Amino acid sequence: MDPETRGQEIIKVTPLQQMLASCTGAILTSLIVTPLDVVKIRLQAQNNPLPKGKCFVYSNGLMDHLCVCEEGGNKLWYKKPGNFQGTLDAFLKIIRNEGIKSLWSGLPPTLVMAVPATVIYFTCYDQLSALLRSKLGENETYIPIVAGVVARFGAVTVISPLELIRTKMQSKKFSYMELHRFVSKKVSEDGWISLWRGWAPTVLRDVPFSAMYWYNYEILKKWLCEKSGLYEPTFMINFTSGALSGSFAAVATLPFDVVKTQKQTQLWTYESHKISMPLHMSTWVIMKNIVAKNGFSGLFSGLIPRLIKIAPACAIMISTYEFGKAFFQKQNVRRQQY
């Protein structure tokens, strides 16, 4: 394939086809990495136990979500904080005490939230990248950074209000009228901003992650293609580039991941006791408290399972997405020929 054709690739794949390609990656990634994330968050939160009947936050590598831990219900999976000595110990204790199914706790709501978030994120990134390249040229190295930041910022902002609604629907069966009354009451009491609670630490973690991930991914992909003498990246080049760039970004942004976990779980603790959230619950203060209590290493709690999770998550997601786009591109070329 000649360079001119390669430069037109994004035009040949429609936004709808990009959405379909990203859906496949979101589903596969959720199935594979959810157990690793359950372990990561359990390690992060074992010093901050949750109240009964409330929710627990974890991420599948694509987005965050909360899982209900109702006492006596079918959704109980977080029975106790546990005393985990490491990643392997956490795996074994969770399986022994709660069953292997608990490693996939909250998978259905994960998919409900992960699929639209991923569709928005990846489609916006590709569309923005194509727009910027058409205006600035193919070789501008900062295009992945700008496109990644804007796409992630938009995806987090759009999805955040849905998190509160979905969490409430998980806690008990609600009619749409009851749900509407709940949201209206929440907005009237705390304002519209209350629907974006937890947005700030999410942005502080996800936006830098996205910038580093896409920049390194594009650089690595181009470098591996040059080393292999290829115009177009293969599945393995996409897979390797995604794994390496994701791992680097995961280490750099882990402190904000730990802070978000602490912030979300503490919010549920205050709500369970029906007291208002204290003003000192800012991201930076929580970070200082973690360092004071557990040392600087506390900001990197759950590093190993996060790395084990992020590497395959990013690799599977991007390679599946690129494979899907290549498939649709070939179909579009065939249609044009006939």
Side-chain angles (χ1 to χ4, degrees):
M1 185 180 292
D2 60 84
E4 182 179 356
T5 304
R6 287 187 291 115
Q8 294 174 352
E9 177 190 355
I10 193 66
I11 300 175
K12 292 184 177 180
V13 182
T14 67
L16 178 59
Q17 291 171 335
Q18 291 170 349
M19 292 178 185
L20 292 174
S22 61
C23 281
T24 304
I27 293 171
L28 285 176
T29 305
S30 297
L31 289 170
I32 293 171
V33 305
T34 292
L36 296 170
D37 202 67
V38 170
V39 172
K40 175 183 71 72
I41 293 297
R42 294 287 288 273
L43 286 169
Q44 288 179 352
Q46 66 176 336
N47 294 323
N48 187 27
L50 292 171
K52 294 180 180 179
K54 289 299 174 182
C55 298
F56 191 75
V57 62
Y58 63 95
S59 167
N60 69 339
L62 302 171
M63 65 158 304
D64 291 340
H65 67 90
L66 297 170
C67 183
V68 174
C69 45
E70 292 181 89
E71 189 71 34
N74 294 327
K75 297 177 182 176
L76 176 62
W77 69 277
Y78 184 79
K79 296 182 179 180
K80 55 184 178 181
N83 185 23
F84 306 125
Q85 303 303 316
T87 303
L88 180 60
D89 183 56
F91 261 114
L92 295 176
K93 285 183 178 179
I94 291 172
I95 293 173
R96 182 173 64 247
N97 297 332
E98 304 171 32
I100 194 169
K101 289 183 178 180
S102 64
L103 291 175
W104 282 271
S105 301
L107 181 60
T110 300
L111 293 175
V112 169
M113 296 295 289
V115 169
T118 306
V119 166
I120 294 171
Y121 180 38
F122 278 79
T123 304
C124 286
Y125 173 79
D126 264 347
Q127 292 296 313
L128 285 169
S129 295
L131 176 64
L132 291 172
R133 286 192 174 97
S134 68
K135 301 291 185 182
L136 304 174
E138 286 286 330
N139 297 321
E140 293 293 343
T141 57
Y142 60 83
I143 287 177
I145 298 176
V146 175
V149 166
V150 174
R152 195 60 178 175
F153 189 90
V156 170
T157 303
V158 170
I159 293 298
S160 287
L162 299 179
E163 188 70 31
L164 175 67
I165 295 173
R166 182 180 55 78
T167 301
K168 192 66 178 179
M169 291 180 72
Q170 282 184 308
S171 63
K172 59 180 292 188
K173 189 174 182 179
F174 278 90
S175 67
Y176 287 108
M177 185 62 68
E178 290 172 326
L179 189 62
H180 179 265
R181 283 199 294 266
F182 164 75
V183 173
S184 298
K185 182 180 179 182
K186 190 75 175 175
V187 171
S188 64
E189 290 178 351
D190 303 322
W192 284 100
I193 197 67
S194 64
L195 298 180
W196 279 267
R197 180 173 289 179
W199 176 86
T202 304
V203 167
L204 286 172
R205 183 200 61 190
D206 287 1
V207 169
F209 180 98
S210 184
M212 287 184 281
Y213 171 77
W214 286 111
Y215 177 78
N216 289 316
Y217 171 73
E218 298 291 355
I219 293 295
L220 283 169
K221 185 173 67 171
K222 183 178 180 180
W223 182 78
L224 289 172
C225 284
E226 291 175 351
K227 289 292 183 180
S228 304
L230 300 171
Y231 282 121
E232 285 296 309
T234 62
F235 182 88
M236 284 308 301
I237 287 178
N238 289 327
F239 190 94
T240 303
S241 301
L244 293 175
S245 57
S247 298
F248 174 78
V251 174
T253 58
L254 180 58
F256 293 108
D257 183 56
V258 174
V259 169
K260 178 171 176 55
T261 300
Q262 295 288 320
K263 192 177 183 70
Q264 291 280 19
T265 54
Q266 286 178 21
L267 284 171
W268 290 116
T269 302
Y270 284 112
E271 286 192 4
S272 69
H273 293 91
K274 300 188 183 303
I275 56 178
S276 59
M277 185 182 71
L279 295 177
H280 65 266
M281 287 279 291
S282 69
T283 299
W284 301 111
V285 170
I286 292 176
M287 193 174 287
K288 290 180 182 178
N289 291 339
I290 292 173
V291 172
K293 185 176 180 180
N294 301 313
F296 185 75
S297 62
L299 293 176
F300 291 88
S301 176
L303 174 61
I304 299 303
R306 178 166 167 82
L307 277 177
I308 294 173
K309 177 199 71 175
I310 288 294
C314 291
I316 294 168
M317 183 63 233
I318 193 64
S319 56
T320 306
Y321 178 62
E322 296 285 7
F323 181 84
K325 287 199 302 178
F327 170 80
F328 286 120
Q329 183 188 355
K330 290 177 181 178
Q331 297 299 314
N332 293 344
V333 170
R334 289 175 184 172
R335 290 193 191 98
Q336 290 178 359
Q337 291 175 346
Y338 295 101

